[in-house]
């Protein structure tokens, strides 16, 4: 975030279950407009919602602690929305980086087989989004009004909560596709861990989709 070419930033750091990052936040506070909030263990969805509730900017974007923005990430996405003022969000491409951690504290690691999944090369199409998610969470910059008008993550979901949110936000709206790689996210190298994670995602698929459809109906969008 310190290296972003777009500097008009408000950074909200929310830690799920502790305050171990508070010291780091204080160290960079002289360089960034940054606030820290340490919560009890409430899981990802509630943590994300708290961060959104504290934000005051016009646009929002997520950054998990193991993902990375390239320097022009926010500038590219902000320019895309400024060029398309009727759109509600914009998204770019991302590298998937299988990562092998070599120590218990995850300070030494090896990156392997960096790639971009073919399904990410996708112009916005809500019907396709209803079938599968093609937005890595950190790739989407969206208008904060979506949160104010439609709510945030479904706190009952612990998997596919991001796909559920995009289904809610994209309904009857337009997202702009930017065909440039501007970020990366990490996945485990270990095939057994990857398989177990995929099984959990597959199990959550129909619930996440159904809950988005129900919320859309309730809001009568």
């Amino acid at each position: 975030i310190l290296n972003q070419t777009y500097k008009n930033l408000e950074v909200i750091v929310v830690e799920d279950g502790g305050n171990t990052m508070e010291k780091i936040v204080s160290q960079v506070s002289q360089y960034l407009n940054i606030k820290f909030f340490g919560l009890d263990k409430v899981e990802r969805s509630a943590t994300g919602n708290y961060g959104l509730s504290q934000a005051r900017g016009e646009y929002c974007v997520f950054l998990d602690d193991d993902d990375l923005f390239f320097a022009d990430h926010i500038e590219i996405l902000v320019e895309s929305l400024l060029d398309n003022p009727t759109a509600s969000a914009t998204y770019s491409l991302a590298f998937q980086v299988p990562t092998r951690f070599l120590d218990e504290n995850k300070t030494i690691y090896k990156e392997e087989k960096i790639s971009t999944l073919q399904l990410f090369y996708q112009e916005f199409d809500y019907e396709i989004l209803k079938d599968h998610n093609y937005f890595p969470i950190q790739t989407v910059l969206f208008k904060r009004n979506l949160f104010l008008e439609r709510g945030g993550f479904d706190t009952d979901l612990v998997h596919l909560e991001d796909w559920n949110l995009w289904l809610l936000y994209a309904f009857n709206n337009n997202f702009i596709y930017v065909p440039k790689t501007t970020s990366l996210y990490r996945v485990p190298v270990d095939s057994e861990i990857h398989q177990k994670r995929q099984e959990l995602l597959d199990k959550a698929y129909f619930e996440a989709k159904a809950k988005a459809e129900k919320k859309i109906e309730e809001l009568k969008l």
Side-chain angles (χ1 to χ4, degrees):
I1 294 174
L2 280 169
N3 290 329
Q4 289 302 298
T5 54
Y6 185 88
K7 298 298 185 182
N8 185 22
L9 300 174
E10 174 196 48
V11 183
I12 309 294
V13 178
V14 187
E15 185 170 349
D16 181 23
N19 59 357
T20 61
M21 293 296 103
E22 189 169 13
K23 181 177 180 180
I24 292 176
V25 170
S26 67
Q27 290 172 343
V28 300
S29 61
Q30 60 182 308
Y31 308 109
L32 288 172
N33 174 19
I34 187 169
K35 297 177 182 177
F36 173 82
F37 301 94
L39 305 182
D40 294 334
K41 188 66 177 176
V42 293
E43 302 299 343
R44 289 169 53 87
S45 293
T47 301
N49 288 343
Y50 190 85
L52 289 172
S53 73
Q54 297 301 314
R56 295 297 178 265
E58 184 175 355
Y59 308 127
C60 293
V61 61
F62 297 110
L63 179 61
D64 288 349
D65 60 4
D66 56 349
D67 298 339
L68 179 71
F69 290 164
F70 298 148
D72 60 351
H73 178 70
I74 295 178
E75 180 182 2
I76 291 291
L77 295 178
V78 168
E79 286 183 351
S80 175
L81 274 185
L82 292 177
D83 290 341
N84 298 274
T86 61
S88 297
T90 184
Y91 62 100
S92 56
L93 295 169
F95 285 136
Q96 176 176 277
V97 184
T99 303
R100 186 187 306 278
F101 292 102
L102 304 178
D103 68 326
E104 292 184 358
N105 295 324
K106 297 185 177 181
T107 57
I108 303 173
Y109 57 89
K110 181 179 180 181
E111 297 176 341
E112 302 180 7
K113 302 178 183 177
I114 297 174
S115 64
T116 302
L117 300 187
Q118 192 61 40
L119 65 88
F120 294 162
Y121 295 92
Q122 177 62 57
E123 293 283 352
F124 177 67
D125 187 320
Y126 191 75
E127 291 304 310
I128 293 175
L129 185 63
K130 285 167 61 177
D131 179 72
H132 61 268
N133 186 23
Y134 48 90
F135 307 144
I137 190 169
Q138 82 288 345
T139 64
V140 182
L141 181 82
F142 59 94
K143 292 182 177 178
R144 189 167 64 92
N145 277 345
L146 289 172
F147 169 68
L148 299 177
E149 296 168 1
R150 302 190 177 190
F153 292 106
D154 188 318
T155 55
D156 291 332
L157 293 174
V158 293
H159 300 290
L160 298 182
E161 71 287 342
D162 52 339
W163 180 46
N164 173 274
L165 188 73
W166 305 142
L167 287 172
L168 178 63
Y169 284 0
F171 183 77
N172 281 346
N173 282 324
N174 186 32
F175 283 25
I176 303 299
Y177 168 53
V178 179
K180 181 178 182 179
T181 301
T182 61
S183 66
L184 65 80
Y185 67 98
R186 302 183 188 280
V187 296
V189 171
D190 189 293
S191 58
E192 184 176 341
I193 295 175
H194 182 76
Q195 182 178 349
K196 288 181 179 179
R197 175 180 289 187
Q198 190 59 52
E199 288 173 355
L200 291 171
L201 296 176
D202 292 343
K203 186 177 180 180
Y205 178 88
F206 291 105
E207 180 185 14
K209 185 174 182 178
K211 288 175 76 66
E213 293 171 347
K214 182 180 179 181
K215 185 66 175 291
I216 289 169
E217 179 63 26
E218 290 174 349
L219 293 174
K220 300 187 184 303
L221 298 175

